[in-house]
């Protein structure tokens, strides 16, 4: 599927651009706005990109990241 391969390449390029932003912007406590921005930028050409929110209740912790199917685009898998 050439279109799927092209979409995956575009998603990788957009994710790489956002990774460069992490060098300029402090990423701590910025995972939600950066992930929302990456999702919005990627969804224009790839409907498989999803914003994922993880929340732990006790003690409270939350994190946001972006995935394309099972591939994490803007974070580490762990």
């Amino acid at each position: 599927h050439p279109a799927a391969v092209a979409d995956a390449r575009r998603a990788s390029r957009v994710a790489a651009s956002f990774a460069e932003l992490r060098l300029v912007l402090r990423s701590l406590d910025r995972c939600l706005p950066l992930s929302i921005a990456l999702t919005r930028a990627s969804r224009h050409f790839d409907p498989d990109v999803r914003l994922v929110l993880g929340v732990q209740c006790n003690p409270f912790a939350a994190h946001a990241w972006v995935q394309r199917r099972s591939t994490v685009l803007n974070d580490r898998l762990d």
Side-chain angles (χ1 to χ4, degrees), residues 52-74:
V52 182
L53 304 174
V55 178
Q56 173 182 303
C57 292
N58 192 7
F60 179 79
H63 188 54
W65 64 94
V66 180
Q67 286 186 210
R68 182 181 192 277
R69 297 186 181 134
S70 62
T71 302
V72 177
L73 297 178
N74 67 333

Side-chain angles (χ1 to χ4, degrees), residues 4-69:
V5 171
D7 287 344
R9 286 184 183 143
R10 282 190 205 109
S12 293
R13 284 196 305 268
V14 171
S17 296
F18 275 81
E20 289 177 17
L21 278 176
R22 295 180 98 174
L23 299 173
V24 178
L25 298 174
R26 200 174 124 226
S27 62
L28 184 63
D29 298 330
R30 300 278 186 216
C31 62
L32 182 58
L34 288 174
S35 293
I36 289 171
L38 175 56
T39 302
R40 290 188 64 170
S42 299
R43 295 286 311 265
H44 287 288
F45 59 83
D46 190 348
D48 291 329
V49 171
R50 299 283 184 251
L51 172 65
V52 182
L53 304 174
V55 178
Q56 173 182 303
C57 292
N58 192 7
F60 179 79
H63 188 54
W65 64 94
V66 180
Q67 286 186 210
R68 182 181 192 277
R69 297 186 181 134

